[in-house]
Amino acid sequence: SIPEYDWDYKKRKNKDTGKYELVVTVTQSNVPEGYKMPVPLLVKLKNGKAKLFNLTINKETQTFTLSFDHKVKKVKFNPNLAVIARMK
């Protein structure tokens, strides 16, 4: 079977640190118990830079919080289809 990922994100500014945060929530389904998969996440910032992260998904639903010095412009989960999966 092919893993399925449902993902969403929210952008916010942390008032205490002054950093820009990206909160990514990923739900994984159609996998056996204990399944673990690193899935890439590409984040493009307003200053023109891009950062690539590998989010290790090993639970049904997980939330990741990433911090940046600049505002987030664009987010792409599993860019270039590096992981064979269905995206919701």
Side-chain angles (χ1 to χ4, degrees):
S1 64
I2 296 176
E4 293 183 7
Y5 295 99
D6 185 11
W7 73 287
D8 195 15
Y9 68 90
K10 293 179 183 161
K11 299 185 273 186
R12 67 184 182 201
K13 184 161 185 183
N14 185 315
K15 292 177 182 150
D16 296 329
T17 65
K19 298 226 178 212
Y20 297 95
E21 294 182 339
L22 180 69
V23 181
V24 181
T25 302
V26 182
T27 301
Q28 174 177 255
S29 59
N30 204 28
V31 296
E33 190 173 330
Y35 187 79
K36 184 166 136 178
M37 176 62 68
V39 180
L41 180 79
L42 179 64
V43 179
K44 293 189 178 181
L45 303 175
K46 294 243 176 172
N47 70 346
K49 298 199 177 205
K51 296 192 178 206
L52 185 65
F53 298 89
N54 277 316
L55 306 180
T56 300
I57 315 297
N58 59 3
K59 297 178 186 167
E60 185 178 339
T61 299
Q62 285 178 263
T63 301
F64 302 88
T65 302
L66 307 169
S67 294
F68 304 96
D69 292 328
H70 299 278
K71 284 185 178 182
V72 173
K73 180 178 177 183
K74 192 174 185 179
V75 181
K76 189 161 185 175
F77 186 76
N78 194 23
N80 305 320
L81 303 175
V83 175
I84 296 172
R86 288 190 181 99
M87 302 296 160
K88 293 181 178 179

